[in-house]
């Protein structure tokens, strides 16, 4: 009895047999009924072979294993990042050296304060020494010869004077070779000379100042006048009071944030699977001789296994250094008498723009200081003197009275008043004599003979 499965061959098997017969030219030469019988026979044969393969003639596939298996990579785990984290942190902190950073910050702030104070005082001293010099000495400090005076004449009176600059090649050669002497600029006349009043007005000199007419003498006069104006301005500024920066308080803040983390991980994933494939082929031949047909079925089973192992070593380190400096400062006037002698102060006063007014201000300052000192002395002298109050006189203790006094004791008891008390009682002499022994029983009463 045929099996029920053979009566129902799959459609793909029928299609495979039909395509095989179509490609075969000998099968196409047969009649239609013969081709149909051959096709049915081939389909039944191929179907039977496929059923036999599925019934167990082919070795069964091994039992399915888990498709994936993770975190089973103990052999691949290194842990280098975590193991080296402490050494990395130590080397990083040593390279940063936060204590050295704080120390250098404090030293830098302190050094800046000292250098600032020194620079202020040094520049102030240089200014005082330069301005207190004579006019000729001050004019020779700046150097530069007569170039500044010549430029001033050309700028103030462009219609009368002009300057000729040295050749640029000579300037470059003098810059490269310090021993090379550069020719000074030349002052040339291009028109009528300015009037004496115009020059005095431009220089701000006195109305009766004599202005030379020759260009050479005029340059010397302008140079001296410019130096005098600048010296007078600086001397007046010094007399008005120079200010310096004084730091009263401050705050230094320094902080560091350090973070480090390390990750060491290993992961393993294994994948397994089966791949089963079947192929069917059939062929038939016919002709005048006996008919022949053949069919072939092949099956293949594949086992695939993949393993993926991943390792990760990661170290992250970050450091932040923050610092801030806040200084509270104020300006304070530099006392001139503490950095310059009285002779220097007098010379400075004479070199100001208005020496007479400076003398008046100095006299008013001295009189105000003397008046203030006198007011303090007067207030101290008029203060009420508090007499010293006498201390309390201690009260003499009261001596006990004797009842059996002898005659003649009265002279002893009246030592303070010169009188005798009846019976020689000690109390009479004690009240006025003030001495306890003078009116006591020892002086005013004698034992009975």
């Amino acid at each position: 009895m045929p099996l029920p499965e053979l009566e129902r061959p799959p459609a793909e098997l029928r299609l495979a047999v039909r395509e095989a017969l179509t490609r075969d030219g000998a099968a196409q030469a047969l009649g239609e009924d013969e081709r149909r019988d051959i096709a049915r026979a081939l389909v039944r044969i191929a179907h039977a072979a496929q059923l036999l393969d599925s019934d167990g003639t082919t070795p069964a596939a091994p039992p399915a294993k888990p498709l994936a298996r993770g975190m089973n990579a103990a052999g691949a785990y290194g842990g280098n990042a975590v193991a080296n984290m402490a050494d990395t942190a130590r080397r990083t902190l040593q390279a940063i050296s936060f204590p050295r950073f704080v120390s250098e910050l404090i030293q830098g702030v302190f050094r800046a304060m000292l250098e600032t104070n020194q620079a202020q005082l040094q520049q102030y001293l240089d200014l005082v020494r330069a301005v207190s010099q004579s006019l000729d000495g001050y004019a020779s400090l700046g150097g530069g010869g007569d170039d500044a005076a010549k430029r001033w004449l050309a700028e103030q009176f462009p219609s009368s004077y002009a300057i000729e600059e040295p050749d640029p090649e000579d300037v470059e050669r003098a810059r490269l070779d310090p021993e090379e002497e550069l020719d000074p600029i030349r002052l040339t006349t291009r028109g009528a000379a300015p009037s004496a009043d115009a020059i005095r007005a431009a220089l701000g000199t006195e109305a009766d100042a004599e202005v030379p007419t020759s260009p050479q003498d005029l340059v010397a006069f302008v140079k001296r006048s410019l130096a005098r104006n600048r010296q007078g301005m600086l001397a007046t500024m010094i007399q008005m009071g120079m200010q310096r920066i004084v730091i009263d308080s401050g705050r230094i803040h320094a902080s560091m944030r350090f973070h480090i983390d390390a990750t060491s991980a290993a992961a393993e994933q294994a994948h397994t699977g089966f791949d089963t494939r079947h192929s069917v082929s059939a062929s038939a031949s016919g002709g005048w001789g006996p008919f022949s047909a053949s069919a072939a079925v092949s099956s293949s089973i594949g086992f695939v296994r993949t393993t993926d192992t991943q390792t990760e070593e990661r170290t992250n380190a970050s450091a932040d250094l923050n610092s801030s400096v806040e200084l509270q400062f104020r300006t304070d006037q530099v006392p001139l008498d503490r950095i310059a002698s009285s002779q220097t102060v007098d010379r400075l006063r004479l070199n100001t723009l208005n020496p007479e007014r400076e003398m008046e201000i100095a006299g008013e300052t001295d009189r105000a200081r003397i008046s203030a000192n006198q007011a303090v002395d007067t207030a101290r002298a008029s203060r009420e003197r508090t007499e010293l109050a006498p201390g309390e006189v201690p009260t003499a203790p009261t001596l006990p009275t004797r009842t059996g006094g002898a005659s003649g004791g009265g002279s002893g008891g009246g030592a303070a008043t010169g009188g005798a008390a009846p019976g020689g009682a000690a109390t009479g002499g004690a009240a006025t004599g003030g001495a306890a022994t003078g009116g006591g029983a020892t002086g005013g009463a004698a034992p009975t003979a």
Side-chain angles (χ1 to χ4, degrees):
M1 181 177 180
L3 295 176
E5 292 82 357
L6 292 177
E7 300 297 332
R8 297 186 298 275
E12 60 271 13
L13 191 58
R14 292 171 181 263
L15 181 61
V17 172
R18 183 180 304 169
E19 292 179 352
L21 293 177
T22 302
R23 291 191 300 270
D24 192 351
Q28 294 296 326
L30 298 175
E32 182 178 357
D33 295 336
E34 293 179 353
R35 288 199 307 272
R36 185 183 300 110
D37 294 338
I38 293 173
R40 290 177 179 175
L42 291 175
V43 168
R44 291 176 62 87
I45 294 172
H47 191 200
Q50 186 177 12
L51 291 178
L52 290 175
D53 178 71
S54 61
D55 285 341
T57 56
T58 303
K65 294 184 179 181
L67 294 180
R69 180 181 62 199
M71 299 307 294
N72 190 22
Y77 177 76
N80 296 327
V82 176
N84 297 330
M85 184 175 64
D87 184 62
T88 302
R90 181 173 58 255
R91 288 187 285 105
T92 304
L93 293 177
Q94 289 178 354
I96 295 175
S97 184
F98 182 68
R100 183 179 60 189
F101 170 76
V102 176
S103 175
E104 293 180 354
L105 177 63
I106 296 175
Q107 293 179 3
V109 173
F110 182 71
R111 190 181 302 110
M113 294 170 57
L114 290 181
E115 292 178 355
T116 302
N117 290 331
Q118 292 178 2
Q120 291 182 90
L121 293 178
Q122 185 62 42
Q123 293 181 5
Y124 193 59
L125 286 173
D126 294 341
L127 179 62
V128 171
R129 292 169 181 170
V131 177
S132 62
Q133 299 293 326
S134 63
L135 180 58
D136 294 335
Y138 177 77
S140 62
L141 291 177
D146 301 333
D147 292 350
K150 295 177 182 178
R151 294 182 186 277
W152 184 88
L153 284 172
E155 292 174 359
Q156 295 295 326
F157 308 102
S159 60
S160 300
Y161 302 104
I163 58 174
E164 293 181 359
E165 298 286 350
D167 191 357
E169 296 181 358
D170 296 339
V171 175
E172 183 65 19
R173 188 163 48 253
R175 187 183 65 85
L176 298 176
D177 188 5
E179 298 181 356
E180 184 73 18
E181 294 185 0
L182 184 64
D183 295 336
I185 62 176
R186 296 177 56 190
L187 180 67
T188 60
T189 58
R190 60 170 57 179
S195 63
D197 293 335
I199 296 178
R200 281 193 291 264
L203 292 173
T205 58
E206 299 295 336
D208 57 351
E210 183 179 356
V211 179
T213 56
S214 64
Q216 185 176 0
D217 295 339
L218 182 60
V219 169
F221 174 77
V222 170
K223 177 181 177 182
R224 184 178 179 86
S225 300
L226 292 177
R228 178 68 184 90
N229 293 340
R230 182 169 178 79
Q231 185 184 26
M233 183 268 294
L234 294 177
T236 303
M237 183 177 64
I238 294 175
Q239 290 294 328
M240 293 176 64
M242 295 293 294
Q243 300 292 324
R244 68 185 182 97
I245 296 177
V246 180
I247 298 176
D248 291 331
S249 61
R251 183 177 64 178
I252 299 177
H253 172 76
S255 62
M256 184 187 75
R257 187 192 67 84
F258 178 73
H259 171 77
I260 185 172
D261 61 85
T263 301
S264 296
E268 181 185 76
Q269 291 183 348
H271 302 274
T272 60
F274 293 91
D275 184 16
T276 304
R277 297 182 182 180
H278 301 279
S279 63
V280 178
S281 63
S283 64
S285 63
W288 300 104
F291 172 77
S292 63
S294 64
V297 178
S298 64
S299 300
S300 62
I301 300 175
F303 176 73
V304 180
R305 179 177 180 178
T306 60
T307 303
D308 183 13
T309 303
Q310 297 179 352
T311 60
E312 180 182 6
E313 301 288 345
R314 183 175 57 192
T315 302
N316 296 324
S318 62
D320 295 333
L321 292 176
N322 300 318
S323 63
S324 62
V325 179
E326 297 180 5
L327 298 178
Q328 303 293 333
F329 64 90
R330 58 181 174 85
T331 57
D332 187 21
Q333 186 172 355
V334 179
L336 185 58
D337 56 352
R338 299 189 62 179
I339 61 173
S341 62
S342 59
Q343 294 82 2
T344 303
V345 174
D346 293 338
R347 289 197 302 269
L348 283 172
R349 192 177 295 118
L350 294 175
N351 291 336
T352 57
L353 297 177
N354 192 352
E356 291 79 7
R357 179 54 183 163
E358 295 295 336
M359 295 295 293
E360 294 177 1
I361 294 175
E364 293 174 358
T365 303
D366 293 339
R367 288 191 294 272
R369 184 177 66 254
I370 294 174
S371 299
N373 293 336
Q374 291 177 353
V376 172
D377 295 338
T378 303
R380 185 183 299 112
S382 61
R383 191 179 303 166
E384 296 182 357
R385 295 182 179 180
T386 304
E387 298 293 341
L388 296 177
E392 297 182 358
V393 178
T395 305
T398 303
L399 299 177
T401 306
R402 291 181 180 271
T403 57
S407 60
S411 58
T417 57
T427 56
T432 57
T437 57
T442 58
T448 307

